[in-house]
Amino acid sequence: MVDDAGAGDPPDGLTAAEIGMWQAFRNGSVYDLRSGDAAVDDPHGGHPWGPERSVRARIVCWLLLDGPPALAGRVSSLKLAGVQITDVLDLAGGTVVPYTEMKHCRFEKEVVLPESRFATLRLVDCSIPRIEAARLHTEGDLHLPRCRVHNGIRLTDAQIGTDLLLNQAVVYRDRRGRSITGDGLAVGQDLQAEMMESHGELSLRGAKIGVSLSLRGSRLINQYGRHAFNAPQLTVERTLYLTPAAVGNPPQTSGMTPARGTRVQRFECEGGIRLDDGRFGDAIDFAQARFVLQNDQEISLRRVQTPELRFLGEAPQRGKVVLSGAKVVNLIDKAASWPGPGGLQMGGFTYENLVPLGSFPLSQRLSWVAAATAEYNPEPYEKLAAVLRNGGEDADAREVLLAKQRRRRETLPLAAKLWGYAQDWTVAYGYRPGRAAVWMAVLWAISAVAFSHADHPAIKPGEHPHWNPALFSLDLLLPVINLGQDSYWQLRGGWQWFSTALILLGWVLATTVAAGATRLLRRN
């Protein structure tokens, strides 16, 4: 065997800390410079780290791009813990083959990775001024959990082969007001940013996530712009989670059910959310989410498409929820989750099934529709009625259509409005056929008593049945049906006008009853 150890010896000019890192790289072992004192070793704390814990970024790049061969029987890799990297770590355009993992490290200046390629890159619990990684490509994971990044992360058009992890990271805005810029980002599997703090705009315009996007327990805060989460044309193959996480050690996330008594941290967003034109393969989940909006900010779901929308968060006190043009199969919601009048827009919003959690009576559902229509618009009423009818709630569907007529009445001129009140009071616009039947019975009784005192000479003496005021009244009230009474008797004066009015009312009421019966038979 040829001994080539000399070919990998550290070059001249390295510090003691850099020589140790060089040797650990060849050995594939962790190079740990932590002191054992938690306060001193905190990369985000104020304790200074001296030269004994510092390595130059240029030497780190040397190892990653053109490092020495591994020792016999070893795999070279860069594994640092508690190390301070001075100067700018610039790997732009480079291809990094060795496994790279840095934990509890401090970076003096930004990390520059545009158009670089990694197998897997893990930066865990590190303090970093900025990460510039546009068009970064990884075959495996990019992990940035518990990192604190002071001037933003740029991942524009980056391609992450498997998972992107930002759990418990704290990211502050850059000079453009963005905390994370991931426009055009592609992630092969999951993007997990659970219990993350984002101070600025989280931008994922046109991003594509291969499995799920989880923001469980995260806080998105943007006090300087309109959007805290700006992700139009976002594609998530499974589910977008804006839901709680259980606070513990370690935190319970990724869909785990918290144990009883566990403190739960909700997803919170101070600033607008924009998911316009997004596509979500399974669901958008807003369970217990809390939103703090300004008057000009929105939770915008325009033209979103998803099989399930779980709108189960806390109703925003200001701003708007916009569902215009969205297409949903199952709408799972709570009455308390929706804003009041002026805070909801849903023109063109389509859904196939309503699955309310908790009490959501029809009166509140009608208030939900009314809140979305500052000006009269029949479409939301008709859509709700269709969904209720398809679910077998035909009586509720009629109530919705009746509410639509009443809302429309308020937009009509005075004469039409008065006629509308008359229709409502008498036959409820035909949506309560039982009321029409009651009116017909009342009119029959009144007219039968009245006609018992009427003068009724026969049209042809000797050719008439016995006078029966009850049957005569019924013959006038029931159109089409001939009971053999009204054609034999002649009424004069006011009785003639009374009979004519009775015939007209009979047509109106009978038509209403028939229409109601037809709807019932069609439903059955």
Side-chain angles (χ1 to χ4, degrees):
M1 178 182 292
V2 178
D3 186 4
D4 61 350
D9 289 342
D12 295 337
L14 299 189
T15 65
E18 290 167 351
I19 291 173
M21 178 177 66
W22 188 281
Q23 293 170 340
F25 175 84
R26 296 191 66 198
N27 195 44
S29 58
V30 176
Y31 187 51
D32 192 344
L33 295 182
R34 288 176 291 179
S35 67
D37 186 327
V40 172
D41 291 335
D42 183 3
H44 315 296
H47 287 273
W49 293 358
E52 72 282 358
R53 295 183 64 167
S54 299
V55 298
R56 288 170 288 176
R58 182 174 63 86
I59 306 304
V60 174
C61 293
W62 187 349
L63 289 173
L64 292 176
L65 297 174
D66 191 22
L71 296 176
R74 299 287 184 174
V75 177
S76 58
S77 60
L78 187 68
K79 302 175 184 175
L80 305 182
V83 176
Q84 178 168 267
I85 295 94
T86 62
D87 300 321
V88 176
L89 182 66
D90 190 347
L91 292 164
T95 298
V96 176
V97 175
Y99 175 83
T100 306
E101 180 178 273
M102 303 184 193
K103 295 182 177 181
H104 319 294
C105 292
R106 282 182 184 171
F107 290 81
E108 183 183 70
K109 295 184 179 179
E110 67 179 8
V111 176
V112 181
L113 306 173
E115 303 194 38
S116 58
R117 300 179 71 90
F118 285 80
T120 292
L121 174 60
R122 291 189 172 96
L123 304 178
V124 179
D125 195 17
C126 294
S127 177
I128 309 170
R130 176 171 172 79
I131 299 176
E132 181 65 51
R135 297 173 297 284
L136 167 71
H137 187 284
T138 69
E139 294 179 13
D141 298 339
L142 173 60
H143 288 190
L144 301 168
R146 300 188 298 282
C147 285
R148 185 163 294 187
V149 184
H150 302 278
N151 293 294
I153 300 173
R154 188 182 181 204
L155 290 167
T156 306
D157 297 318
Q159 297 185 42
I160 310 303
T162 49
D163 296 332
L164 171 57
L165 265 60
L166 290 158
N167 296 343
Q168 296 179 275
V170 180
V171 188
Y172 295 93
R173 66 190 181 107
D174 60 16
R175 60 188 179 184
R176 299 180 61 189
R178 293 180 176 177
S179 57
I180 300 174
T181 305
D183 301 343
L185 171 69
V187 179
Q189 295 184 18
D190 291 316
L191 196 169
Q192 292 187 13
E194 299 175 344
M195 299 182 70
M196 178 186 73
E197 284 189 25
S198 166
H199 297 268
E201 180 183 302
L202 169 57
S203 181
L204 295 176
R205 297 168 179 253
K208 293 180 171 59
I209 312 301
V211 183
S212 292
L213 168 54
S214 177
L215 289 163
R216 292 184 177 93
S218 292
R219 294 187 66 210
L220 310 183
I221 305 165
N222 188 7
Q223 300 174 345
Y224 309 97
R226 187 173 183 183
H227 299 109
F229 185 24
N230 190 16
Q233 298 180 327
L234 172 66
T235 300
V236 178
E237 294 297 328
R238 297 286 300 275
T239 301
L240 168 61
Y241 294 101
L242 306 177
T243 55
V247 179
N249 189 19
Q252 295 182 25
T253 57
S254 302
M256 298 177 66
T257 302
R260 183 180 296 274
T262 304
R263 187 167 71 88
V264 171
Q265 179 171 307
R266 296 188 297 176
F267 170 83
E268 295 187 11
C269 183
E270 297 183 25
I273 292 181
R274 185 183 176 209
L275 298 172
D276 299 349
D277 300 294
R279 301 291 182 270
F280 303 87
D282 283 354
I284 304 174
D285 195 343
F286 286 98
Q288 299 185 44
R290 180 174 181 266
F291 306 100
V292 180
L293 305 178
Q294 301 303 315
N295 291 331
D296 62 339
Q297 294 176 334
E298 299 175 341
I299 301 170
S300 181
L301 303 173
R302 292 176 172 87
R303 299 173 298 280
V304 157
Q305 294 186 24
T306 180
E308 194 163 280
L309 173 59
R310 304 167 192 159
F311 203 83
L312 302 168
E314 183 180 301
Q317 299 302 307
R318 291 189 287 181
K320 293 182 179 179
V321 176
V322 183
L323 290 161
S324 302
K327 294 183 179 180
V328 173
V329 178
N330 298 320
L331 176 59
I332 303 175
D333 63 348
K334 295 191 301 183
S337 296
W338 297 105
L344 179 60
Q345 295 179 6
M346 53 183 187
F349 174 44
T350 61
Y351 49 97
E352 296 181 17
N353 303 298
L354 285 172
V355 188
L357 293 188
S359 176
F360 205 147
L362 183 62
S363 60
Q364 287 184 293
R365 186 65 76 180
L366 289 173
S367 298
W368 172 68
V369 174
T373 52
E375 297 181 356
Y376 170 69
N377 181 4
E379 179 190 5
Y381 291 94
E382 291 168 357
K383 182 60 191 175
L384 176 58
V387 170
L388 292 172
R389 188 179 296 114
N390 291 337
E393 304 290 339
D394 200 53
D396 285 350
R398 289 197 300 272
E399 288 297 317
V400 171
L401 294 174
L402 175 57
K404 180 192 78 168
Q405 292 292 348
R406 288 170 173 167
R407 185 77 185 278
R408 174 179 175 271
R409 182 176 65 208
E410 300 307 313
T411 67
L412 298 176
L414 180 60
K417 188 178 294 187
L418 292 174
W419 173 240
Y421 278 114
Q423 293 183 80
D424 193 357
W425 185 65
T426 54
V427 295
Y429 288 95
Y431 290 110
R432 292 178 183 167
R435 183 183 294 183
V438 169
W439 274 108
M440 183 169 282
V442 170
L443 285 173
W444 180 31
I446 292 173
S447 59
V449 172
F451 283 129
S452 67
H453 299 90
D455 186 19
H456 53 280
I459 296 174
K460 295 181 179 180
E463 297 183 13
H464 58 82
H466 177 72
W467 169 251
N468 187 323
L471 284 179
F472 182 79
S473 301
L474 194 60
D475 208 358
L476 294 176
L477 274 172
L478 294 177
V480 180
I481 299 175
N482 186 359
L483 299 179
Q485 287 287 327
D486 63 338
S487 59
Y488 291 96
W489 310 103
Q490 183 177 0
L491 301 178
R492 296 186 176 90
W495 293 110
Q496 194 173 26
W497 286 105
F498 181 68
S499 64
T500 302
L502 204 60
I503 291 170
L504 293 176
L505 287 172
W507 272 102
V508 171
L509 294 174
T511 302
T512 301
V513 173
T518 301
R519 279 193 294 268
L520 180 62
L521 290 172
R522 187 184 299 122
R523 178 65 248 169
N524 291 338

